[in-house]
Amino acid sequence: MSHSVTLLCALWLSRVHGSVDNSTTGCRIIHPPRDGGIRYRGLTLSQVKAVETLPVDYEIEFVCRGEREISGPKVRKCQRDGTWTDMDKPSRCLRRTDSSRKKFLHVGALFPMSGGWPGGQACHPAAQMALEDVNNRRDILPEYELKLIHHDSQCDPGQATRHLYELLYNDPIKIMLMPGCSSVSTLVAEAARMWHLIVLSYGSSSPALSNRLRFPTFFRTHPSATLHNPTRVQLFKKWGWTKIATIQQTTEVFTSTLDDLEERVKEAGIEITFRQSFFSDPTVPVKNLKRQDARIIVGLFYETEARKVFCEVYKERLFGKKYVWFLIGWYADNWFKTPDPSINCTVEEMTRAVEGHVTTEIVMLNPENTRGISNMTSQEFMEKLQKRLGKDPEGVGGLQEAPLAYDAIWALALALNKTAYELSKKGLWLEDFNYNNDNISREIYKAMNSSSFDGVSGHVVFDASGSRMAWTLIEQLQGGIYKKIGYYDSTKDNLSWYNNDKWIGGSPPADHTKVIITFRYVSQKLFISVSVLAGLGILLGFVCLSFNIYNSHVRYIQNSQPHLNDVTAAGCILALAAVFPLGLDGYHIETWHFPLVCQARLWLLGLGFSLAYGSMFTKIWWIHTAFTKKDDKKERRKQSQTVEPWKLYSTVGLLLGLDVVVLGIWQIVDPLQRSIEEFTKEEPRGDLDVLILPQLEHCSSVKMNTWLGIVYCSKGLLLLLGIFLAYETKSVSTEKINDHRAVGMAIYNVAVLCLITAPVTMILSSQQDASFAFSSLAIVFSAYITLVVLFVPKMRRLITRGEWQSEQQDTLKTGSSTNNNEEEKSRLLERENQELGRIIAEKEERVLELRQQLRSRRKQSVTPRENCSDNHYPNSSGAVSSLYQPGFPLARCLVAEGGDKLGRNSCDGSRVHLLYK
């Protein structure tokens, strides 16, 4: 009585506050079904007539008269939104039907009892349980009884094709089809529309089956395999992995899943570095994974192939603390212990290979202990199923998918029940269905598409593509047993983590072998040693330059073209200065400084070579031009032997200008930049998961070889030409450029060093110490040789003889230390030639007169004249001609006969005396 009073108060309050929204006032009273009524708990008939709404959480119960029974929800509850539960399902009172009078509705099913995924082993018993529960319910399909006609597809499309046509072309007519694995479902769903059949799968995860254009009548209680991919990406992010590898069996379900994973990881900034596939033999793909140093590996294959893969994984040692495998979670819990004649690995080896791998699995069992449409909790269902399976249920294939098969039968039954109600309005019945009846098929599709109920696998509802959404369970194999380590809800992007993951190495491994980059730098001892030599060379260059400038008024220095020697010294200083940037690398400078150092190397060495070698080349070129031409005209030869300084300086300027132009174009068009040369990775000592990657810094440009070819060709030709000219002028003596022999010697040394060093440094470019040593020491030695050969003799001469000597002594002693005697001889001969030439010019007329007198005397007295002639002039004309010839002055006698002893006495004295008589 007190309960009634309380309820009446609640009803009165609801009427008083009728203006309040239905969400707070309750639900309006609904009319009872025909041939039945509604039982209002705690209320009398008069009280029911007095109220219009009932409070929230109030329950009503439908009852029927006589031998009728309720079809549809028997109890409804008032919800907070002002509606009753299950309003989309009508409650009707129907006559009780004898089971012997029920009509049969046949469902064609394909259960894979063997093959790649033997899920039918547990799914078939679960489906039979659902059929029994549905057929025992009087409110669901009360006039019908569901029958299951099934075959073993072996998860093979070929076998499935044969069984599909047996189902279709053999009586009775099947009102719906239930395939299992994805490859079979693809075949069945694509063909079913031709027979206007709805397909409901309990074990298909292929993402391709979500294509409504290709599979318009397909539904599945098993979520799509792409539901694993958001979970995998979330785990990759959690553990800080950015590089993964994949290996898959070549079936459509795994290919489409992997394509979806590739798109998702790309969006997350994760890279699939290596992708392998196989049909039946995974030996080569596993070896390739090992060769590519794959660490985080996603494996997509059926259970039988999984055993083959991990047998090869054990052989290749692709397991342990450095590796993590991600597998599908719907294998049997002891799949790696199942005997398999196709592999040659023991159970212990397989157990070692699979330890620590991670699985992602769709949540297929409702984690909440609530009762659903079948009036069973998920735990009660599993207990009942395990009793039916018998001993060792954990080893039965498809145990995890069994709740999905159970709920699939319920979804099918509820959809047919709703369809029967809708068809009754049109005067049609479910037994009227045939493969040409599109109307009934459309009604079944609508009912299936609107399905929504709580099953043992959770809440069952289908999206627009016919797929089901669910949570993802994350497990890890720890000590041979799968442990739950978390859940992921992709709809809310929520990761629930238990923090019980365990790793062989104590922490998640790296996604790749850590590569430690180490730069190879020039040895500091070598760099300092060469730098000291270069610094001393620069000091020597400044000493020589100062000496040359200070003594430029001395005639001996003047006769060596001191300005060209100044240029040579300056060039040597610049070339020696290039040694310092040659040895600078990342050890001394920042990365952004490197292009500046590269340009400094190029310009200092290029300009230094052009100045130093160009000035020496100019000297030797002028010597060759002036003293090796075969010209008979005396005046032209004298003109050519006259030194014009501006021509020498112009030649040096031309060589320098060409270098500036080439280097300038190089720097503007294709400037030198820092480049990295990588060497083979090296393994350090110890069991460290790292590799050392040596790198070496270089100065290079895009068309480096082209520019080097231009520079090397031009400089090489210049060096070869300099060697040739030095050889050609080695015997020339002149006081115009008194150090040309020293210049030739310097050219020899510089040319040989450069021609050897250039190709050697190119070959040794990858060996930083050897390359730097060759190039820098070649520069140092070339500069030292040039400075010592050109300037040290001059210093020695001026220091030992002094600048205060008389011009006569200076003139007699002018010349380099290597050709003083020869130049003095030449100077004496020239003076004597000039004196004798003057005497000969005065006596030419006297010679002609003597010839005429001799001829006249011979005619007058032949005999006495002949005796006299024999004593003094055996051949008068020959005597005169041998004494003097117009083209050869008397100096010829001195030069020819005075090769050993100089002076006028070296010639025949009688002949000279004759000229004076």
Side-chain angles (χ1 to χ4, degrees):
M1 184 65 181
S2 60
H3 178 71
S4 300
V5 173
T6 304
L7 182 61
L8 286 174
C9 291
L11 295 174
W12 180 80
L13 287 173
S14 66
R15 296 187 65 180
V16 171
H17 302 283
S19 61
V20 184
D21 188 40
N22 282 344
S23 63
T24 59
T25 57
C27 304
R28 296 181 64 85
I29 292 180
I30 59 177
H31 296 288
R34 184 179 179 182
D35 297 330
I38 299 178
R39 181 178 295 157
Y40 297 91
R41 298 175 182 176
L43 296 178
T44 62
L45 181 60
S46 59
Q47 292 172 341
V48 171
K49 292 180 178 180
V51 298
E52 295 181 359
T53 59
L54 295 174
V56 177
D57 295 334
Y58 185 78
E59 292 183 350
I60 58 175
E61 181 182 359
F62 290 84
V63 294
C64 295
R65 298 188 182 94
E67 295 183 351
R68 297 178 182 273
E69 61 183 2
I70 290 294
S71 173
K74 189 175 182 179
V75 178
R76 297 182 187 271
K77 187 176 182 179
C78 181
Q79 302 180 103
R80 293 188 179 275
D81 60 354
T83 61
W84 297 94
T85 57
D86 298 326
M87 289 300 294
D88 57 332
K89 301 174 183 177
S91 298
R92 296 178 297 167
C93 290
L94 301 176
R95 293 182 180 273
R96 293 180 181 176
T97 305
D98 187 6
S99 60
S100 62
R101 297 169 54 190
K102 284 186 177 182
K103 300 173 184 178
F104 294 111
L105 297 177
H106 296 89
V107 177
L110 297 173
F111 291 101
M113 308 304 290
S114 59
W117 176 65
Q121 296 176 4
C123 290
H124 179 242
Q128 290 291 354
M129 287 174 54
L131 281 175
E132 295 171 3
D133 293 340
V134 168
N135 288 332
N136 290 332
R137 288 281 293 265
R138 296 187 178 184
D139 59 336
I140 300 176
L141 296 175
E143 299 177 357
Y144 300 95
E145 182 177 346
L146 294 177
K147 288 283 186 178
L148 197 64
I149 301 176
H150 62 89
H151 296 282
D152 179 13
S153 68
Q154 301 178 17
C155 206
D156 179 27
Q159 291 289 336
T161 303
R162 179 170 65 87
H163 293 308
L164 174 62
Y165 281 93
E166 289 177 359
L167 291 172
L168 294 176
Y169 288 102
N170 294 332
D171 289 333
I173 292 176
K174 285 73 182 178
I175 198 169
M176 197 174 290
L177 296 176
M178 285 184 59
C181 51
S182 297
S183 58
V184 173
S185 296
T186 302
L187 170 71
V188 173
E190 202 163 18
R193 61 180 177 178
M194 306 302 297
W195 282 266
H196 302 103
L197 283 169
I198 302 299
V199 180
L200 176 60
S201 175
Y202 55 87
S204 301
S205 60
S206 173
L209 292 168
S210 299
N211 188 343
R212 264 288 176 250
L213 296 176
R214 185 179 174 188
F215 310 104
T217 63
F218 180 78
F219 293 89
R220 54 181 165 184
T221 55
H222 194 300
S224 171
T226 56
L227 201 60
H228 294 264
N229 292 335
T231 307
R232 291 175 179 136
V233 173
Q234 189 71 18
L235 292 177
F236 297 155
K237 291 180 179 179
K238 175 180 175 59
W239 288 319
W241 295 328
T242 58
K243 294 181 179 181
I244 64 172
T246 63
I247 179 172
Q248 64 156 110
Q249 186 180 354
T250 52
T251 59
E252 185 178 21
V253 56
F254 300 130
T255 301
S256 53
T257 302
L258 197 53
D259 291 340
D260 178 76
L261 177 63
E262 192 168 5
E263 294 179 2
R264 291 179 185 273
V265 297
K266 187 180 296 184
E267 294 175 357
I270 300 171
E271 178 188 4
I272 296 181
T273 58
F274 200 59
R275 183 169 175 173
Q276 285 288 291
S277 61
F278 66 94
F279 182 74
S280 60
D281 185 8
T283 303
V284 175
V286 172
K287 289 182 178 179
N288 291 337
L289 289 174
K290 178 70 173 181
R291 189 179 301 112
Q292 295 295 326
D293 192 34
R295 298 301 183 89
I296 312 303
I297 308 169
V298 178
L300 301 176
F301 28 72
Y302 287 116
E303 182 178 319
T304 53
E305 277 66 28
R307 286 190 282 270
K308 296 179 183 179
V309 169
F310 275 89
C311 185
E312 297 300 326
V313 166
Y314 178 81
K315 295 176 183 178
E316 296 296 330
R317 294 295 186 269
L318 205 62
F319 64 92
K321 66 179 183 180
K322 298 180 181 179
Y323 305 95
V324 178
W325 283 83
F326 280 80
L327 301 182
I328 304 168
W330 38 257
Y331 301 158
D333 286 347
N334 62 344
W335 63 272
F336 52 91
K337 298 180 181 179
T338 303
D340 192 339
S342 63
I343 63 175
N344 56 357
C345 294
T346 64
V347 175
E348 291 75 14
E349 292 172 345
M350 292 290 292
T351 304
R352 288 186 58 191
V354 300
E355 179 64 25
H357 77 262
V358 178
T359 64
T360 53
E361 175 188 350
I362 306 301
V363 176
M364 302 177 187
L365 191 66
N366 190 356
E368 299 178 0
N369 194 26
T370 58
R371 298 183 182 276
I373 188 69
S374 64
N375 199 29
M376 278 194 304
T377 64
S378 57
Q379 295 300 324
E380 291 173 350
F381 164 77
M382 291 304 298
E383 292 174 0
K384 187 176 180 180
L385 177 63
Q386 289 176 359
K387 289 180 181 179
R388 179 171 293 221
L389 293 175
K391 296 180 179 180
D392 192 20
E394 298 297 330
V396 177
L399 181 64
Q400 297 173 345
E401 290 79 8
L404 303 179
Y406 183 85
D407 285 345
I409 295 295
W410 275 97
L412 178 152
L414 292 174
L416 291 178
N417 187 64
K418 187 174 183 179
T419 302
Y421 176 74
E422 296 296 332
L423 291 177
S424 64
K425 297 178 181 179
K426 302 177 182 179
L428 298 175
W429 310 98
L430 287 175
E431 61 266 26
D432 295 334
F433 175 79
N434 58 62
Y435 298 144
N436 297 320
N437 194 331
D438 187 29
N439 293 327
I440 297 179
S441 178
R442 281 200 299 267
E443 290 296 334
I444 298 174
Y445 178 87
K446 292 178 183 178
M448 184 67 72
N449 202 33
S450 61
S451 296
S452 178
F453 64 92
D454 291 326
V456 294
S457 64
H459 188 68
V460 179
V461 64
F462 302 107
D463 60 13
S465 64
S467 298
R468 180 182 170 187
M469 297 298 293
W471 280 33
T472 307
L473 171 65
I474 306 165
E475 292 183 322
Q476 186 182 37
L477 189 68
Q478 301 175 3
I481 301 174
Y482 284 103
K483 300 288 186 179
K484 296 179 182 178
I485 60 176
Y487 286 93
Y488 180 68
D489 183 5
S490 59
T491 58
K492 299 179 181 179
D493 192 24
N494 180 37
L495 179 65
S496 302
W497 200 248
Y498 295 166
N499 291 319
N500 62 340
D501 49 317
K502 294 182 180 179
W503 304 98
I504 299 175
S507 62
D511 56 2
H512 62 284
T513 301
K514 186 177 181 180
V515 178
I516 300 176
I517 297 176
T518 59
F519 283 93
R520 292 180 175 177
Y521 298 124
V522 175
S523 170
Q524 295 307 299
K525 294 181 180 179
L526 175 64
F527 177 63
I528 293 173
S529 301
V530 177
S531 298
V532 170
L533 290 177
L536 294 176
I538 292 174
L539 181 61
L540 176 62
F542 278 110
V543 170
C544 294
L545 183 62
S546 302
F547 165 80
N548 211 52
I549 294 174
Y550 181 77
N551 296 289
S552 59
H553 63 282
V554 180
R555 182 176 179 183
Y556 175 64
I557 300 298
Q558 290 178 348
N559 287 341
S560 64
Q561 294 297 321
H563 295 302
L564 287 182
N565 290 339
D566 293 342
V567 173
T568 302
C572 290
I573 293 172
L574 290 179
L576 288 169
V579 170
F580 299 105
L582 275 176
L584 293 178
D585 48 28
Y587 185 84
H588 307 92
I589 60 175
E590 299 293 336
T591 302
W592 64 276
H593 288 149
F594 214 85
L596 300 177
V597 173
C598 293
Q599 298 296 339
R601 294 178 185 178
L602 181 65
W603 283 92
L604 287 175
L605 191 56
L607 297 182
F609 179 86
S610 296
L611 291 174
Y613 184 80
S615 58
M616 294 189 296
F617 177 82
T618 301
K619 286 185 179 182
I620 212 72
W621 175 269
W622 181 84
I623 295 293
H624 181 271
T625 303
F627 292 95
T628 60
K629 291 193 302 181
K630 296 180 179 180
D631 193 344
D632 294 333
K633 295 184 179 180
K634 185 176 180 180
E635 295 299 328
R636 185 176 298 176
R637 179 181 295 176
K638 289 183 179 180
Q639 291 177 3
S640 64
Q641 293 177 353
T642 302
V643 178
E644 298 182 11
W646 70 270
K647 291 184 179 180
L648 302 179
Y649 305 149
S650 299
T651 304
V652 177
L654 177 62
L655 295 176
L656 181 63
L658 290 175
D659 258 6
V660 171
V661 170
V662 172
L663 296 181
I665 295 175
W666 186 353
Q667 184 174 359
I668 295 172
V669 175
D670 190 15
L672 290 174
Q673 300 292 337
R674 176 178 179 265
S675 64
I676 300 297
E677 179 185 2
E678 293 186 353
F679 299 90
T680 305
K681 297 177 183 177
E682 302 172 354
E683 294 185 2
R685 295 180 179 179
D687 187 20
L688 300 176
D689 191 19
V690 297
L691 288 175
I692 297 176
L693 177 61
Q695 292 185 347
L696 182 61
E697 297 170 305
H698 291 289
C699 290
S700 64
S701 56
V702 178
K703 297 183 178 180
M704 187 72 172
N705 293 333
T706 302
W707 295 108
L708 287 179
I710 295 173
V711 173
Y712 284 171
C713 287
S714 60
K715 303 299 183 185
L717 292 175
L718 201 62
L719 290 170
L720 293 175
L721 183 58
I723 293 175
F724 171 75
L725 296 178
Y727 177 78
E728 287 289 310
T729 58
K730 68 181 185 298
S731 60
V732 174
S733 298
T734 177
E735 64 178 357
K736 305 298 182 181
I737 300 179
N738 57 21
D739 60 352
H740 76 279
R741 292 182 182 275
V743 170
M745 184 181 298
I747 287 177
Y748 282 136
N749 288 279
V750 172
V752 171
L753 284 173
C754 292
L755 292 175
I756 293 176
T757 304
V760 170
T761 52
M762 292 184 66
I763 296 173
L764 300 178
S765 61
S766 298
Q767 303 178 27
Q768 70 281 4
D769 288 340
S771 177
F772 173 70
F774 265 92
S775 56
S776 60
L777 291 179
I779 295 171
V780 170
F781 288 152
S782 298
Y784 269 90
I785 291 171
T786 301
L787 293 174
V788 170
V789 169
L790 289 185
F791 294 96
V792 171
K794 297 180 177 62
M795 294 180 183
R796 184 175 63 85
R797 178 180 180 84
L798 294 186
I799 291 173
T800 56
R801 300 191 181 185
E803 298 179 2
W804 53 86
Q805 292 177 330
S806 64
E807 184 176 353
Q808 180 179 2
Q809 292 174 334
D810 185 59
T811 302
L812 293 175
K813 299 174 183 178
T814 299
S816 65
S817 61
T818 60
N819 57 7
N820 289 336
N821 294 331
E822 293 183 0
E823 290 187 359
E824 289 178 1
K825 293 176 184 178
S826 177
R827 194 159 36 253
L828 291 174
L829 292 176
E830 288 180 3
R831 289 185 179 180
E832 291 185 2
N833 279 335
Q834 292 175 1
E835 183 180 353
L836 294 175
R838 181 177 56 79
I839 295 173
I840 291 169
E842 294 175 355
K843 299 299 181 178
E844 279 186 354
E845 295 180 359
R846 180 61 178 167
V847 171
L848 295 176
E849 292 176 359
L850 291 174
R851 287 180 179 178
Q852 292 176 0
Q853 291 176 7
L854 288 173
R855 290 173 184 169
S856 61
R857 290 180 182 178
R858 285 178 180 176
K859 293 178 181 179
Q860 294 175 3
S861 177
V862 178
T863 303
R865 296 294 181 186
E866 287 178 353
N867 294 333
C868 182
S869 297
D870 292 337
N871 294 331
H872 297 280
Y873 302 101
N875 188 343
S876 61
S877 62
V880 175
S881 63
S882 64
L883 181 65
Y884 172 73
Q885 293 182 10
F888 298 93
L890 187 58
R892 294 293 183 184
C893 174
L894 295 174
V895 174
E897 298 179 0
D900 298 327
K901 297 179 180 180
L902 296 177
R904 294 180 182 177
N905 297 330
S906 298
C907 289
D908 189 353
S910 61
R911 298 179 183 176
V912 177
H913 288 246
L914 177 62
L915 293 177
Y916 286 95
K917 286 182 180 179

